[in-house]
Amino acid sequence: MKGSTIALDTWNGREAAAHVVDGQLEDLLIEDDRPSPGNIYRAIAQRPMKGQGGMFLDTPDGSAFLRQVKGLRPGAPILVQVTGFAEPGKAIPVTQRLLFKSRYAIVTPDAPGLNVSRQIRDDDMRDSLLELVHEALAEVSLPEGAGLILRSSCVHGAEDEITEDIIAMAELARNVLADTTGGAELLVAGEGPHALAWREWTDPAEVDADSGSFARHGVDEMLEDLKSPTVQLGGGASMVIEPTTALVAVDVNTGNDTSPAAGLKANLAAFRDLPRQLRLRGLGGVVIIDPAPMPKKDRRVVEGALKAALKKDKVETIVSGWTNLGMLELQRKRDRVAIRGLL
């Protein structure tokens, strides 16, 4: 099955979206009951966390934790945005750096300037987009001290849609930033899977939003594959991805291949597919990879393959380096639902 398809459906009673490219599942979003990344709250400061430079906050959805905050008194209101899904039993992670983000435009409070995505390299297009910005901002101004970024998706957008996005985000930012008094309140709800798919999956694709789209495009069978921790890599090689309470463990195996290059081949295949597998499974935090046996001189090659794959992945991931025991450590943002308990 060739081409790119976005299927909007439900899965086990939850709203869900899947992106299938050439018959392979590339991305997956499933609704969760926890506070969504993107939620903006007027929160109330509770108590500082001594020694950590942070403070617990009260929100309508429970306790949140704000890092690196100074001069905030208990009882004071503050605007914050959810940055990721909270681990079980932990406070909601939030930041003071708000972003008002849509398909084409992002308004950035406290980061002034008008910018066009660096992925748009055509000078004429960049100039045309900046003209659109000035025309839109003649109708509604940005909040004082705020900036605006035009996303790479503008390449495929119609001028009127881009203009509408700019105006909508500027108006939303102005209204929210002015709403600073009162008790704990949800001011902006983060998008669900269908809206988030429209916002983030911007490359040209066929969109199937009719009921049963998962079955029509084979997504339900692909979701069944995600129930297993084992990923087949071809040639008998495999990797096992096991989340624990402390970290995500990835074990790469060569299978029955005993040739001298078996370890390198298995590790290259695993490292190239790992970002997609972590994305589909909604796994983040500390990731420890135990590669198949290979010469130490090959570490640079497999690490390069992993970094190349991560460049295509939108989830922020840091490659921390190799441990003394020959394992590779990653730190990955928790901005997806871990789907293990949802499938």
Side-chain angles (χ1 to χ4, degrees), residues 152-214:
S152 59
S153 53
C154 290
V155 170
H156 305 297
E159 289 188 358
D160 58 340
E161 292 176 341
I162 297 171
T163 301
E164 289 174 5
D165 238 17
I166 295 170
I167 293 172
M169 289 301 100
E171 288 180 338
L172 179 62
R174 289 183 65 86
N175 292 335
V176 170
L177 294 176
D179 197 358
T180 57
T181 58
E185 183 179 349
L186 174 65
L187 302 179
V188 177
E191 289 95 339
H194 291 182
L196 197 58
W198 173 82
R199 193 186 85 182
E200 297 299 330
W201 301 344
T202 57
D203 290 339
E206 172 197 352
V207 178
D208 187 348
D210 294 331
S211 179
S213 63
F214 274 22

Side-chain angles (χ1 to χ4, degrees), residues 1-195:
M1 185 187 301
K2 297 294 184 181
S4 178
T5 301
I6 294 173
L8 306 179
D9 207 339
T10 59
W11 182 257
N12 290 344
R14 297 174 181 269
E15 184 177 288
H19 187 195
V20 180
V21 179
D22 296 337
Q24 177 175 268
L25 186 60
E26 283 295 325
D27 210 344
L28 175 68
L29 301 168
I30 299 181
E31 184 181 28
D32 189 71
D33 299 329
R34 288 171 292 175
S36 300
N39 278 8
I40 297 178
Y41 298 112
R42 186 198 311 115
I44 305 299
Q46 293 299 317
R47 57 185 174 88
M49 192 69 172
K50 294 182 179 180
Q52 295 188 20
M55 178 169 277
F56 283 100
L57 312 174
D58 183 36
T59 80
D61 294 322
S63 180
F65 185 69
L66 177 64
R67 296 182 182 276
Q68 299 176 340
V69 60
K70 294 181 179 179
L72 183 63
R73 302 187 317 275
I78 182 173
L79 298 181
V80 293
Q81 189 167 39
V82 178
T83 59
F85 286 99
E87 299 176 63
K90 294 191 177 181
I92 305 165
V94 296
T95 179
Q96 288 179 271
R97 294 181 176 273
L98 309 185
L99 290 178
F100 298 88
K101 188 175 184 180
S102 190
R103 184 178 177 95
Y104 301 113
I106 305 173
V107 172
T108 57
D110 301 320
L114 303 179
N115 298 285
V116 178
S117 168
R118 284 178 286 186
Q119 295 182 39
I120 302 177
R121 296 184 174 87
D122 183 272
D123 290 337
D124 291 337
M125 177 168 284
R126 294 177 68 88
D127 290 341
S128 297
L129 289 172
L130 287 173
E131 287 180 15
L132 280 182
V133 172
H134 289 294
E135 291 173 6
L137 295 183
E139 296 187 34
V140 55
S141 60
L142 292 170
E144 184 177 354
L148 184 136
I149 301 170
L150 289 183
R151 306 181 69 191
S152 59
S153 53
C154 290
V155 170
H156 305 297
E159 289 188 358
D160 58 340
E161 292 176 341
I162 297 171
T163 301
E164 289 174 5
D165 238 17
I166 295 170
I167 293 172
M169 289 301 100
E171 288 180 338
L172 179 62
R174 289 183 65 86
N175 292 335
V176 170
L177 294 176
D179 197 358
T180 57
T181 58
E185 183 179 349
L186 174 65
L187 302 179
V188 177
E191 289 95 339
H194 291 182

Side-chain angles (χ1 to χ4, degrees), residues 271 291 294 299-300 302-303 320-324 326-329:
F271 282 33
M294 65 177 179
R299 287 183 180 179
R300 180 176 295 181
V302 297
E303 185 177 339
S320 300
W322 297 86
T323 71
N324 291 334
M327 300 183 186
L328 187 60
E329 183 176 350

Side-chain angles (χ1 to χ4, degrees), residues 215-234:
R216 281 191 294 278
H217 299 284
V219 175
D220 46 4
E221 296 177 8
M222 299 174 194
L223 291 177
E224 288 297 320
D225 292 340
L226 294 178
K227 291 182 178 180
S228 171
T230 303
V231 180
Q232 299 299 329
L233 301 171

